[in-house]
């Protein structure tokens, strides 16, 4: 009888603890160019209609949008917040805004948000380029940073421009 009570107690604990142990899924087809960076972070492009609900169901707590106000619609922000997730927008238009100061602002925002988090833009290319730039500035091996950026959606023209900008 004693083991039965322990089993029930352990089972109840696991049922309540499992959501806290959730990891970012490897695939969410409702997010264009979805890429799982690690256990707490994923990146992608456009969010399709069912994406906010899928993100919520997968345990995401925050969405950071790098698109400009002109590119974004309030529908995404409203739906994400209605579902109880946090929504932040950090306008990133391209290389002209990818200054060390902008990357520092991104780092502060990223460090402060509740995880798991989805970082996205229109296609995934901007977040891939920003993340690559961030990694290089933080001292990551250049080839590793570039490979990560490509997986996240960085396009060849962006990689070339980034290499030129950083003198690589």
């Amino acid at each position: 009888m004693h083991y039965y009570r322990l089993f029930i107690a352990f089972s109840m604990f696991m049922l309540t603890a499992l959501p806290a142990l959730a990891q970012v899924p490897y695939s969410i087809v409702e997010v264009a160019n979805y890429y799982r960076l690690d256990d707490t972070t994923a990146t992608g492009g456009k969010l399709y209609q069912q994406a906010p609900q899928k993100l919520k169901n997968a345990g995401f707590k925050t969405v950071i949008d790098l698109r400009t106000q002109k590119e974004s619609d309030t529908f995404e922000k409203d739906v994400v917040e209605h579902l109880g997730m946090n929504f932040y927008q950090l306008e990133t238009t391209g290389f002209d805004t990818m200054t060390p100061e902008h990357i520092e602002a991104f780092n502060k925002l990223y460090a402060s948000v509740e995880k798991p988090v989805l970082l996205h833009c229109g296609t995934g290319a901007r977040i891939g380029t920003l993340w690559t730039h961030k990694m290089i500035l933080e001292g990551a091996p250049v080839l590793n940073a570039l490979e990560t950026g490509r997986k996240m959606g960085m396009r060849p023209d962006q990689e070339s421009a980034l290499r030129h900008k950083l003198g690589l």
Side-chain angles (χ1 to χ4, degrees), residues 8-84:
I8 295 296
F10 178 75
S11 298
M12 294 304 291
F13 169 76
M14 289 306 291
L15 287 174
T16 57
L18 281 178
L21 301 174
Q23 294 182 359
V24 171
Y26 284 92
S27 176
I28 296 182
V29 296
E30 292 80 7
V31 177
N33 300 321
Y34 181 88
Y35 175 71
R36 180 185 188 272
L37 183 63
D38 59 32
D39 289 347
T40 65
T41 305
T43 65
K46 175 184 169 108
L47 304 187
Y48 298 114
Q49 187 175 6
Q50 296 301 318
Q53 186 64 57
K54 295 286 185 174
L55 292 167
K56 174 71 174 175
N57 293 348
F60 281 86
K61 304 292 184 194
T62 304
V63 173
I64 298 177
D65 185 356
L66 297 184
R67 297 175 299 167
T68 64
Q69 289 291 330
K70 286 182 180 180
E71 294 175 279
S72 300
D73 54 48
T74 57
F75 173 76
E76 179 181 313
K77 178 183 186 306
D78 294 343
V79 170
V80 165
E81 290 178 341
H82 176 76
L83 291 170

Side-chain angles (χ1 to χ4, degrees), residues 10 26 54 61 66 71 109 126-127 144 157-158 168:
F10 178 75
Y26 284 92
K54 295 286 185 174
K61 304 292 184 194
L66 297 184
E71 294 175 279
L109 176 61
R126 219 172 317 180
I127 186 57
N144 291 355
D157 63 311
Q158 292 170 313
L168 303 173

Side-chain angles (χ1 to χ4, degrees), residues 99-100 103 132-140 166:
T99 62
I103 292 171
T132 301
H133 195 169
K134 166 189 169 1
M135 287 179 70
I136 292 169
L137 289 178
E138 292 174 349
L166 298 176

Side-chain angles (χ1 to χ4, degrees), residues 1 3-4 15 19 24 30 40 64-65 67 88 102 104 106 109 141 149-150 161 164:
M1 187 67 167
Y3 291 109
Y4 177 74
L15 287 174
V24 171
E30 292 80 7
T40 65
I64 298 177
D65 185 356
R67 297 175 299 167
Y88 299 93
H102 186 76
E104 180 62 27
F106 171 78
L109 176 61
R150 287 182 209 116
H164 178 73

